[in-house]
Amino acid sequence: MNTKTHPEIAEYVARLRTSMGDLAPERRDEIVSEIEEHIEEALAEMPSPTDADIRNLLERVGDPRTIAAEALERSVDDDLAERPPRRYPAAFLAFLRRHLRKILIALLSLVLGFAGFSAWYVTRFDPLHANLHGNPFRVATQTGRPLHVNTIDPVTARPFHAYSVEYRDKEWFEYGFTLANTSPFSVTVEEISVRPEGLFPSMQISISRESELATNPSRIAMRPLDAAFSIPAHSARYVVIRGTFTGCPFSGAGNTATAYLQKVRFRFLGVGRTEFLPLPYSIEFSGRTGCTGAGA
Amino acid sequence: MRDMVASQDKSLAQMRRGTLEYCVLALLRDEERYGFDLVKALGEADGMVTSEGTIYPLLSRLRRDGLVSTKWEESPSGPPRRYYRLTAKGQRALSEFVDEWQRFRDAVDRLMEGGRG
């Protein structure tokens, strides 16, 4: 029998080794191996030790903590395991060193997460919304009145406006909405264009200087949109788009076109994007009043 | 009362502890011994060692300080043994202690007898 085969002795030696963790490894090894030798010598004197004999022997050798305490008491500085001083910066640095991998991974995840979020934010987050808040401009025609139906959007369950507009050749038609920037950054609007493409070959787009609540359209200062303009964070502009029906595009009976998206090219946080903003209403164009000739 | 007993125990333990290393050196004055043998000899002296394992940190320290040296020798039975031997430095330290100890012991004895008389 030796110190490695008897489980109780092996466990004792392991405990002893752990208890002396504060000692320099070579000194700890020396003391542990001498105590192992001691136990082997003692075992050699017993022809067939019982479990009680073993326990008795280990009790005589002593509590590992007592031996470890004695070893620490008898130590000079060189005998101690090298440990970082426990002053704040050093202890902190030791903590950093010990957990370097975890800290680096955490930092990297943070950076990657932030980069990912930023990438998503500047390319996917929609800062602009077309709505009707405070906007007195709706859908209007030069002559006649557009058919207006208040309904409920079947998908969003919100109130929804549906307009039906008759095509009258050479007459103007206009629609307006509020272009709101709901982001905390300013958005530069570079171009507003109409869908369906080519429905109005000539279009004038005007924009308000400020978003202001007014029920009377004539009191809102509109100006033509001839250059890029910026909408500050959390503010809005009124947009009015006026086109002239030209070219009798609808051929054949019952043909219609429906507009419900507004194409806007803008720059958000340095990234140029083109988005199709859902309009707060849909406009259905139909008919071909004033159209003559073979195509009519 | 209990506190007094406890502090008496503590000062006796300190006294034993302080003299233990010289007892080890004294055991090695005339012959080399291996650890187990040393511990047994100390255990036979009344009250010197309560926990045998605590001798080994002391031996390690003595060797580190150059008061003892070790060498491996074959054992007639079982594994080789690590034998401890007193160095010249250890001999000097021991004889210095012996002088000091005799003076100290005499002084203490005189005080104890005077106190009793």
Side-chain angles (χ1 to χ4, degrees), chain A:
Chain A
M1 176 175 303
N2 64 38
T3 55
K4 285 166 191 73
T5 53
H6 197 285
E8 206 164 330
I9 296 177
E11 193 256 349
Y12 176 88
V13 171
R15 256 192 311 138
L16 185 63
R17 194 173 287 281
T18 314
S19 302
M20 292 206 280
D22 286 341
L23 285 183
E26 57 272 26
R27 193 161 141 85
R28 182 186 59 209
D29 292 348
E30 180 186 274
I31 294 170
V32 170
S33 63
E34 287 197 50
I35 290 176
E36 277 184 290
E37 288 159 25
H38 176 99
I39 294 170
E40 273 174 43
E41 288 282 352
L43 283 174
E45 291 196 340
M46 301 183 221
S48 52
T50 63
D51 283 356
D53 288 337
I54 302 272
R55 264 196 296 281
N56 196 18
L57 161 62
L58 294 179
E59 217 161 274
R60 275 209 316 280
V61 176
D63 187 333
R65 284 170 299 184
T66 312
I67 299 171
E70 177 73 11
L72 274 182
E73 290 259 320
R74 299 271 183 198
S75 297
V76 289
D77 287 350
D78 286 3
D79 296 330
L80 297 179
E82 275 191 35
R83 295 190 148 212
R86 296 212 177 262
R87 283 173 298 121
Y88 161 69
F92 182 63
L93 287 178
F95 174 82
L96 287 185
R97 261 200 302 278
R98 200 159 47 244
H99 298 289
L100 190 61
R101 258 176 79 92
K102 280 181 238 164
I103 291 168
L104 281 181
I105 289 171
L107 281 179
L108 197 67
S109 325
L110 214 61
V111 167
L112 287 178
F114 184 72
F117 173 75
S118 307
W120 171 85
Y121 189 77
V122 298
T123 59
R124 290 280 175 273
F125 178 79
D126 291 327
L128 291 181
H129 299 272
N131 60 42
L132 290 174
H133 294 165
N135 193 334
F137 303 102
R138 295 284 172 91
V139 178
T141 49
Q142 187 175 341
T143 59
R145 281 171 67 89
L147 178 69
H148 177 204
V149 178
N150 266 321
T151 181
I152 299 288
D153 185 300
V155 177
T156 63
R158 285 181 177 157
F160 189 78
H161 302 276
Y163 288 92
S164 190
V165 172
E166 193 186 16
Y167 180 96
R168 292 167 189 266
D169 202 33
K170 307 289 188 291
E171 289 193 9
W172 59 256
F173 148 82
E174 72 177 26
Y175 65 101
F177 56 89
T178 303
L179 189 58
N181 172 12
T182 58
S183 81
F185 305 98
S186 91
V187 176
T188 304
V189 176
E190 294 173 332
E191 190 185 356
I192 294 175
S193 45
V194 166
R195 265 173 67 92
E197 310 279 352
L199 184 60
F200 306 111
S202 65
M203 275 186 353
Q204 298 129 28
I205 301 177
S206 12
I207 185 131
S208 67
R209 280 172 214 283
E210 303 291 339
S211 53
E212 46 192 311
L213 287 171
T215 46
N216 183 356
S218 64
R219 292 175 63 183
I220 299 176
M222 302 296 286
R223 65 189 165 113
L225 176 63
D226 40 18
F229 68 97
S230 73
I231 306 179
H234 299 301
S235 62
R237 295 289 180 271
Y238 299 138
V239 175
V240 174
I241 297 172
R242 176 180 288 200
T244 306
F245 290 123
T246 323
C248 295
F250 312 118
S251 60
N255 277 353
T256 59
T258 306
Y260 58 92
L261 291 173
Q262 180 60 58
K263 187 176 178 185
V264 178
R265 188 158 61 79
F266 61 91
R267 187 162 285 277
F268 178 54
L269 292 169
V271 176
R273 293 163 60 180
T274 299
E275 298 286 345
F276 295 97
L277 310 180
L279 284 169
Y281 43 72
S282 71
I283 312 163
E284 187 191 60
F285 301 97
S286 60
R288 36 196 304 114
T289 301
C291 291
T292 53

Side-chain angles (χ1 to χ4, degrees), chain B residues 17-59:
Chain B
R17 200 169 166 279
T19 51
L20 183 61
E21 61 179 288
Y22 297 101
C23 296
V24 168
L25 295 181
L27 283 171
L28 295 172
R29 182 163 44 197
D30 301 321
E31 52 177 336
E32 299 178 356
R33 285 170 186 266
Y34 58 98
F36 185 68
D37 184 29
L38 259 175
V39 171
K40 265 206 304 196
L42 283 169
E44 281 159 16
D46 177 43
M48 276 317 288
V49 175
T50 49
S51 161
E52 294 174 352
T54 55
I55 296 299
Y56 291 98
L58 168 61
L59 286 173

